[in-house]
Amino acid sequence: MTIQENCPAAATNGERATLNYQGKPTDFPLRHGSIGPSVMDIGKLYKDTGCFSYDPGFTSTANCASKITFIDGDKGELLYRGYPIEQIAEYSNFLATCFLLLNGELPTNEQFRDFRRTISMHTMVHEQMTRFFTGFRRDAHPMAVMVGVVGALSAFYHDSTDISNPEHRRIATNRMIAKMPTIAAMAYKYSIGHPFIYPRNDLDYTSNFLQMCFAVPCEPYIVNPVVARALDRIFILHADHEQNASTSTVRLAGSSGANPFACIASGIACLWGPAHGGANEAALTMLQEIGTVERIPEFIAKAKDKSSGFRLMGFGHRVYKNYDPRAKVMQKTCHEVLDALDKRDDPLLKVAMELEKIALQDDYFVSKKLYPNIDFYSGITLRAIGFPVEMFTVLFAVARTVGWIAQWREMIEDPEQRIGRPRQLYVGPSRREFPL
Ligand code: CMC
């Protein structure tokens, strides 16, 4: 089989790639994005050739056309609606980023005020949901609680589950962005036996989340502005990341017409895995296990030994083959938080910085283009703020909710989208008779 590509560098629409299979040429249209690689539209591959494409892990497969987020993995660039992540993290805030991801443009001052007011009107959860929490064991992982409670939102808010109704989609969007911090904080409070703290709508989105997590009814809680700004930035960095595993899960779940709350619950379940959102927890656990700078060579050697099954958590990325741009912002934020909280002598920071230095000079990591990813420094930062490791992925879920919803809405509104139904290369037994 050969592929003759008729696509010059600056190709225009109407061009085609020709695939020769068993002596018969078949043409496939080429489609070009605004930036990034073009795609061959192989939707008719099976009809025209009788073959499926085979691409486990979707390493060469685009599942949709999207206008939301762009990553150039070789350059180490991440854009939300065209804006570089570093600039958004520096000049914007999480709620404005939500508006941008959902609507395509940054909000005007008036739009921001309206959006903020709307979100704050939805921050409480149905009072009956508090009883839902008590059904869980207190030592349950908060991500397990999140999957259950977010999935249950459709039982409490079924008046916004008609996906064909744009107004329902809008209300479900606002509800999820507003309620996710409340649910996450409740999961945390439940795990430590504290009473739930109600949202405070006079606070900004992230400060309110901090007070729901760390305030207690018996004394006033004052939000540390450096911590609030750092967490807000962490939320911005995690808000969307194009067609990653959890977002693809949300899209796939949504492609069947499932309601948005159920779709987001499926995204949370996928995010929990250690190769995805669970990596921040795994990275911190690994740094704790390493413990001292002297033990780093032992762990580097283990990571290079395939038979050990050990990987350097917080290193490597499917798309970034350069420094993850989010990791750079995260590293700076980490230093800011440790300085503000007078924890700059945190031994884990020393281990992390030394580990990064050694790995970036090591031939194994250099040749495989394995760089620190966002999770490498986020764990140290979140721990310094006061979150236990089990909450790390929950915070990721709070931030990623807007990305999941923006992508879900884009899918619902895309006339080209159909139910997601991959095919397979069957390698099991062929037909045989049942033994009598
Ligand atoms: N430590 C040691 N070796 C590694 C690592 C690592 N962290 N990551 C990849 N490799 C090696 C891997 O063994 C393979 O070697 P070879 O080519 O000799 O077989 C090569 O690098 C390519 O790895 P891969 O598993 O084929 O790459 P992938 O694109 O399928 O996996 C990844 C990407 C993120 C799952 C992987 O790098 C990894 O497991 N990293 C650790 C977990 C982690 O930090 N995940 C967070 C990702 S960022 C947050 C997010 O977006 O969710």
Side-chain angles (χ1 to χ4, degrees):
M1 187 192 289
T2 55
I3 289 183
Q4 297 154 359
E5 207 204 295
N6 306 328
C7 171
T12 53
N13 288 337
E15 280 159 319
R16 308 177 85 76
T18 308
L19 175 91
N20 279 312
Y21 177 58
Q22 294 183 332
K24 190 177 155 232
T26 311
D27 278 351
F28 298 101
L30 285 165
R31 293 176 61 173
H32 309 296
S34 39
I35 36 176
S38 302
V39 300
M40 283 176 216
D41 182 346
I42 57 159
K44 291 196 176 142
L45 180 69
Y46 178 58
K47 191 166 158 262
D48 290 353
T49 67
C51 274
F52 295 138
S53 63
Y54 183 64
D55 183 18
F58 307 113
T59 51
S60 299
T61 299
N63 178 43
C64 60
S66 179
K67 293 178 179 167
I68 303 173
T69 295
F70 175 76
I71 303 173
D72 185 328
D74 294 323
K75 263 207 241 166
E77 182 177 67
L78 168 62
L79 312 176
Y80 291 167
R81 300 284 190 179
Y83 296 109
I85 190 68
E86 301 83 351
Q87 293 178 22
I88 298 176
E90 184 73 26
Y91 307 122
S92 192
N93 62 59
F94 179 66
L95 214 51
T97 307
C98 291
F99 187 98
L100 171 70
L101 287 168
L102 291 167
N103 300 297
E105 295 298 335
L106 289 164
T108 60
N109 288 343
E110 197 189 337
Q111 284 171 328
F112 182 71
R113 264 197 310 276
D114 284 351
F115 185 58
R116 199 183 154 203
R117 198 176 318 116
T118 305
I119 294 299
S120 62
M121 289 299 111
H122 286 287
T123 49
M124 289 201 300
V125 294
H126 195 294
E127 193 59 19
Q128 224 172 305
M129 282 196 94
T130 55
R131 275 188 263 146
F132 203 87
F133 278 86
T134 55
F136 292 102
R137 283 172 56 137
R138 291 224 187 245
D139 61 355
H141 195 291
M143 280 300 274
V145 175
M146 291 297 286
V147 174
V149 176
V150 174
L153 283 176
S154 47
F156 288 90
Y157 301 101
H158 43 77
D159 58 339
S160 55
T161 52
D162 176 3
I163 63 158
S164 62
N165 183 332
E167 189 55 13
H168 278 220
R169 298 202 294 270
R170 196 185 60 78
I171 295 171
T173 298
N174 294 337
R175 281 180 167 156
M176 271 183 287
I177 291 172
K179 293 183 199 310
M180 201 60 81
T182 312
I183 295 170
M186 288 168 88
Y188 173 55
K189 286 297 199 188
Y190 182 70
S191 74
I192 55 171
H194 278 192
F196 297 135
I197 301 290
Y198 283 106
R200 269 184 50 192
N201 292 348
D202 59 318
L203 294 176
D204 65 73
Y205 189 87
T206 306
S207 300
N208 171 48
F209 178 59
L210 283 166
Q211 76 87 27
M212 287 192 292
C213 289
F214 298 122
V216 285
C218 42
E219 56 183 66
Y221 175 77
I222 297 161
V223 180
N224 179 330
V226 177
V227 169
R229 179 72 190 119
L231 189 59
D232 200 72
R233 205 175 279 152
I234 292 174
F235 285 167
I236 293 174
L237 297 179
H238 287 87
D240 195 42
H241 213 226
E242 54 119 302
Q243 308 311 317
N244 57 85
S246 57
T247 301
S248 301
T249 302
V250 170
R251 279 187 178 256
L252 195 57
S255 76
S256 74
N259 77 67
F261 303 108
C263 294
I264 300 305
S266 74
I268 295 174
C270 176
L271 184 74
W272 193 1
H276 190 10
N280 51 15
E281 185 174 339
L284 191 89
T285 309
M286 177 195 76
L287 290 173
Q288 280 169 330
E289 224 179 294
I290 298 175
T292 61
V293 169
E294 292 70 42
R295 292 194 68 202
I296 290 175
E298 182 194 323
F299 280 80
I300 294 262
K302 214 160 92 171
K304 286 155 70 172
D305 173 10
K306 287 266 155 53
S307 65
S308 72
F310 172 80
R311 283 185 171 201
L312 223 47
M313 299 313 286
F315 261 79
H317 199 274
R318 169 63 61 81
V319 183
Y320 294 119
K321 301 303 167 197
N322 201 325
Y323 213 99
D324 178 343
R326 302 168 303 170
K328 279 191 192 141
V329 182
M330 197 60 248
Q331 190 194 45
K332 190 169 157 247
T333 304
C334 178
H335 284 285
E336 279 168 18
V337 168
L338 295 184
D339 280 350
L341 299 179
D342 214 7
K343 293 184 178 174
R344 63 187 78 77
D345 292 330
D346 186 338
L348 289 197
L349 181 67
K350 277 205 189 82
V351 173
M353 285 170 64
E354 192 58 23
L355 180 62
E356 177 184 356
K357 202 166 104 196
I358 296 175
L360 289 179
Q361 289 164 359
D362 189 292
D363 203 40
Y364 174 93
F365 293 91
V366 173
S367 64
K368 292 184 191 303
K369 299 187 175 167
L370 298 170
Y371 292 87
N373 58 50
I374 187 169
D375 294 319
F376 194 63
Y377 283 102
S378 61
I380 303 175
T381 317
L382 295 174
R383 192 182 69 134
I385 293 175
F387 288 106
V389 280
E390 303 78 46
M391 280 298 288
F392 292 0
T393 317
V394 174
L395 300 175
F396 192 160
V398 169
R400 185 56 59 85
T401 295
V402 64
W404 290 329
I405 301 173
Q407 301 267 353
W408 172 81
R409 285 194 355 181
E410 187 179 66
M411 183 205 64
I412 299 286
E413 286 157 21
D414 180 353
E416 283 191 348
Q417 282 300 312
R418 305 161 69 192
I419 184 166
R421 179 40 173 108
R423 304 307 300 264
Q424 63 172 6
L425 175 67
Y426 177 67
V427 292
S430 46
R431 184 193 161 106
R432 48 184 168 164
E433 301 305 319
F434 191 83
L436 297 174

